[in-house]
Structures are given as structure tokens and as C-alpha cells.
Amino acid sequence: MPPLSSLDAQLAGHSRLLVAYSGGLDSTVLLYQLVQLRSIHPDLQLRAIHIHHGLSPFADSWLQHCQQQCTEWQLPLLIEHVEVDGREQGIEAAARSARYGAFRRHLQPGETLLTAQHLDDQCETLLLALKRGSGPAGLAAMPAHLMLGENLLLRPLLTQTRKQLELWAQQYQLRWIEDESNQDVRYDRNFLRQQVLPLLNQRWPHFAQASARSAALCGEQEQLLDELLAESLAALTQADGSLLIAPLQPLSEARRYALLRRWIGAQGGQMPSRDAVQRIWHEVINSREDASPCLQLGNHQIRRYRQAIYWLPQYPSLRECVIPWQSPWQPLLLPQQLGTVCIDPQGSELRQPRADEPVTIRFCAQGDFHIVGRAGSRAIKKLWQEFAVPVWQRERTPLLFYGEQLIAALGVFVTHEGRITDNKSWRISWLTQ
């Protein structure tokens, strides 16, 4: 193991640290090294975070071990219980998503996250990427540093083997836990660790180091592509984050797919497979002109509207949602962070409801409606199209009802039944967050 000066150099300029601490060998070594470094730099602010996945019968005892160790080292310990649902992406991937979601929730502005992956982990990650048929981005494996939202993530042990960590831990008489699931070769990473890598290292003792060099070279190529395509991507991306379609059409397939991947990455999505990018091109971008295509990628959707594609979260349906609004007409909070409905001098002017007309907010309407400023009635679908409201926003736009009568799509139109017929009017606004 290199001296603490190596870790100190990697942390230059980063004095507020959140350390992912499972209680295993790797994170124990990293955390203890940081405790030692803190004695040299008293201004170093350390916090540890332990993720309780609940997947092992020993999870509670692991938590107790971490609590005892942090108490001994005089470290604050955050504890996060997460639920892991492996039905969609498998247990390993789901557990990782849950962990990093917890990290994001607890990271403070300006704080740096440290995780303890080492050289053997890097080699396993590269081999798993090969198994999936990944391109250069996947084969770059784990970078030593990257941005996690607004925070920096550092992996300071990536050049160290597990054997080196074990020797260091024994030298300082550290105690750590062993996850019994690490022996279960049903998991891909464990299969590599237990059965494949020992053979490779026996034949080629420096296989892990060579793999790390290959991963680094792939990472450099991806970084170069990022830089070369940054200007083109900026020109294609609109202010709302959507991507223009027409400029993609004349490009080569390689350039087009590279831009699509980087656009998804810029929206916060995971790097899509080649099959997923092809489906975006053929099923979404090049679907029928009158279609409303939607492609599900994880917890997000890619949809097309008016010669642009959009990266959208998947929300539960609001079709059956009915929200009463009553006097004294306090601001009404809408579900799913859709903002509030309130009385506002700048809002749409409508007639006030009669005493026998209960007021509700809904998100679905059917039939034909005559709106103020138009002759005759039109189907609600045609009205949405006329006002350029995309399909996915139509059931997320608050609709004001008096009784069973649609009065207004707030911020979009007012129906004939909502027009002012006497001097009793009010103004209503939908304020988004």
C-alpha cells in the first residue's frame, strides 16, 4: 500500500468527505486511512454512511459493527435502510441503484463522496461489460472520479489490489465483516471473483493491471468523443432539454448514435445499449408522423413531439384523481410536485362558481368543448393539439370543474361555460414549482 501521502494528494482541495462504509475490508481500510489523515489535517470533515439493504440475515449485526467502529474512531455515521427490488434489473444492479440513490439524498453541497472499489473490482467491472457487449463507455469501467449530480465521487483505492488491502488491514489490526453472499457464484461478479479471475491471474499475474489500462484507454476515448461532440450536442438540445430530430437525419449512424447516447447521459440517464439506441431511432424518431411513440428505458420514457424527442420520468396516472377545492379557497397543492392552484390577480379570469357547484381539480376530460374565443365545439384531443400541449402533459394539466362541467384547462384555455356572464368573476392560476 502507498503511504498516506498518496491519498492526501488525491484529496487535494476536498476537505468535506462522505465515505460509503459497508463494514467490509475495502471500506474499512479506506475509512481508517481517512481517520489517520484527519489526525494530520484537523480541518478534514469526515462522515460515514452505511446502507442497510436488508438482503442478509446478518444485516443488523453488520450495522452494529459499523456503529461500534465509528464510535471508536469518533466519526458520525448516517444509516439508511433501503428496499431492493430485483425483479426488473436483478439484485446486484437494484442494490447498487438503491445505494447511490441514498448517497445522493445525503450528500451536502460541496461534499465529496468516497467509495472503496479497488483494482480487482475494476477488473471484474470490465469483464462484466465485455459480457454485456458494451462499447467504450461501458469498457471504461469505473473512473477514479466523476460527478454524481452536483457532487464529486472519488475512488482513491482503484490502483490497489485486494491482497494489498488485506495486508494493510492486518498490519493495523483492523476488524471487518465478511458478506456471506460473496461466496454465492449465482451472482455474476462473485462467479468472476471466485472461479474466473484466479485462473486468469494464475496464467497472467498482471491481468488486473492490464485490464485497468484498457479501461483507462477506453475512458480517454470517451472523453475525447465528449469534447468533440459537445458543440453539436449543444446545438441540437433545446432549452427544455429535448433533442431536435431533423439535424440528426443526414448524419452517419455512428455519429447519430453517439449523440443520442450523450443526450441521454446529459439528461441523467444510464448509457443505453446499442439495441436501445436502435430502437430509439426506429421506433420513436422514425415512427409514423401521426403516432405518439413511447419507449420505456428503466424508470424513464423517450417520447417524440413536433420533431423533437424528450426524456421523461414515468409518473403514475392521474386519470382518476379528483381534488375538492372549497372556500376560503386557500392555495391547493397538486400531487406529484405539479405545483399549486390559487387565486391570483394575474390568472385566467373566470366566472365564480354558484353555491350549488362544487369545485374540483381533475386531470382527465372527454368529449367536445366550446372554448372562449372559438366558434363551435371541438374534441378535447384537437384542442390539446391546437394549443401545442404534448400527449404526456395532457393528463398532468389541472382541469377546473364546477360540478361535472369543465370550466378551464388552467393556463391553456377557458370553456364557454366558464365565461363571465355577470360581475362575479375571479382569477385562477396554476403555479408550477
Side-chain angles (χ1 to χ4, degrees):
M1 284 284 292
L4 286 180
S5 58
S6 174
L7 178 61
D8 196 8
Q10 293 185 69
L11 296 178
H14 307 286
S15 59
R16 299 178 56 217
L17 308 176
L18 178 64
V19 186
Y21 181 42
S22 68
L25 169 69
D26 319 332
S27 61
T28 298
V29 169
L30 176 59
L31 193 57
Y32 186 63
Q33 287 185 339
L34 291 165
V35 169
Q36 287 185 312
L37 205 57
R38 186 179 59 181
S39 65
I40 303 172
H41 301 293
D43 61 332
L44 196 62
Q45 299 178 40
L46 286 179
R47 299 194 304 157
I49 181 170
H50 178 81
I51 310 301
H52 188 299
H53 298 90
L55 297 174
S56 169
F58 305 106
D60 290 339
S61 65
W62 297 346
L63 173 56
Q64 291 174 4
H65 167 84
C66 293
Q67 289 174 317
Q68 292 169 359
Q69 197 65 80
C70 286
T71 299
E72 180 181 332
W73 291 340
Q74 298 182 330
L75 278 172
L77 176 66
L78 301 170
I79 300 164
E80 176 90 357
H81 289 74
V82 297
E83 293 185 5
V84 179
D85 185 353
R87 289 175 295 181
E88 185 173 310
Q89 52 183 336
I91 288 293
E92 293 173 283
R96 183 185 185 281
S97 296
R99 278 197 303 278
Y100 279 85
F103 297 154
R104 289 186 179 93
R105 288 192 293 274
H106 286 282
L107 278 165
Q108 297 174 353
E111 196 170 36
T112 298
L113 176 67
L114 268 63
T115 59
Q117 291 94 351
H118 49 70
L119 186 63
D120 300 74
D121 294 326
Q122 182 77 305
C123 183
E124 294 162 9
T125 302
L126 177 66
L127 292 175
L128 289 171
L130 281 172
K131 185 265 295 184
R132 291 192 298 268
S134 299
L139 296 176
M142 297 181 292
H145 53 83
L146 77 159
M147 295 306 297
L148 192 67
E150 299 296 321
N151 298 84
L152 181 65
L153 164 62
L154 295 179
R155 297 184 173 105
L157 301 183
L158 274 184
T159 60
Q160 309 305 309
T161 65
R162 177 179 173 85
K163 186 63 177 177
Q164 288 174 302
L165 299 183
E166 286 178 349
L167 292 173
W168 198 91
Q170 291 165 4
Q171 177 185 347
Y172 287 91
Q173 299 181 334
L174 300 181
R175 295 177 291 109
W176 64 88
I177 60 175
E178 293 287 354
D179 185 344
E180 81 288 349
S181 70
N182 287 340
Q183 305 303 314
D184 189 345
V185 295
R186 290 178 299 174
Y187 298 120
D188 290 343
R189 189 175 288 273
N190 291 344
F191 171 71
L192 290 173
R193 185 177 302 157
Q194 302 295 335
Q195 298 189 10
V196 176
L197 282 173
L199 288 174
L200 293 174
N201 288 320
Q202 183 180 352
R203 175 80 178 194
W204 301 294
H206 300 292
F207 183 81
Q209 287 87 344
S211 298
R213 286 197 299 273
S214 292
L217 289 170
C218 288
E220 289 177 8
Q221 293 298 310
E222 280 298 292
Q223 182 179 348
L224 178 60
L225 277 176
D226 288 343
E227 294 174 5
L228 293 175
L229 293 174
E231 187 175 343
S232 296
L233 182 61
L236 292 175
T237 305
Q238 302 190 95
D240 60 1
S242 61
L243 189 74
L244 292 170
I245 292 173
L248 291 173
Q249 299 285 358
L251 302 181
S252 68
E253 182 179 276
R255 188 179 182 90
R256 181 191 304 148
Y257 287 0
L259 284 165
L260 285 172
R261 288 192 180 96
R262 279 155 183 80
W263 171 69
I264 291 173
Q267 303 304 308
Q270 294 185 351
M271 190 63 65
S273 66
R274 180 176 178 81
D275 176 66
V277 175
Q278 289 176 331
R279 292 186 64 191
I280 293 169
W281 183 252
H282 294 294
E283 298 177 22
V284 180
I285 292 176
N286 287 321
S287 61
R288 294 191 331 271
E289 191 68 29
D290 61 345
S292 298
C294 174
L295 179 64
Q296 192 77 26
L297 290 180
N299 295 324
H300 286 75
Q301 299 173 339
I302 292 184
R303 307 192 70 152
R304 188 193 70 199
Y305 184 72
R306 294 197 172 183
Q307 291 304 303
I309 56 174
Y310 294 77
W311 174 261
L312 303 165
Q314 184 178 13
Y315 294 108
S317 173
L318 292 171
R319 289 181 64 86
E320 305 301 322
C321 183
V322 178
I323 308 173
W325 194 25
Q326 299 172 331
S327 179
W329 316 111
Q330 294 297 318
L332 184 66
L333 185 65
L334 301 177
Q336 299 181 18
Q337 299 181 325
L338 283 174
T340 57
V341 170
C342 62
I343 298 175
D344 177 12
Q346 306 301 317
S348 301
E349 190 171 17
L350 315 162
R351 72 172 178 87
Q352 291 188 8
R354 298 189 302 269
D356 63 344
E357 292 180 314
V359 179
T360 58
I361 296 294
R362 310 182 189 186
F363 296 89
C364 180
Q366 296 178 334
D368 295 350
F369 298 94
H370 183 184
I371 67 172
V372 173
R374 300 287 192 277
S377 299
R378 300 198 73 188
I380 187 71
K381 179 180 178 180
K382 296 295 184 182
L383 291 174
W384 290 130
Q385 292 172 346
E386 180 180 338
F387 287 96
V389 179
V391 172
W392 59 89
Q393 289 183 4
R394 295 173 189 176
E395 289 188 8
R396 298 182 62 77
T397 299
L399 306 176
L400 182 70
F401 276 77
Y402 294 170
E404 295 302 314
Q405 181 64 58
L406 175 64
I407 298 300
L410 295 178
V412 184
F413 59 77
V414 176
T415 67
H416 204 62
E417 289 73 19
R419 72 190 189 284
I420 302 166
T421 55
D422 52 30
N423 294 326
K424 294 182 179 180
S425 67
W426 61 350
R427 290 182 177 270
I428 307 296
S429 281
W430 171 29
L431 303 180
T432 57
Q433 296 176 338

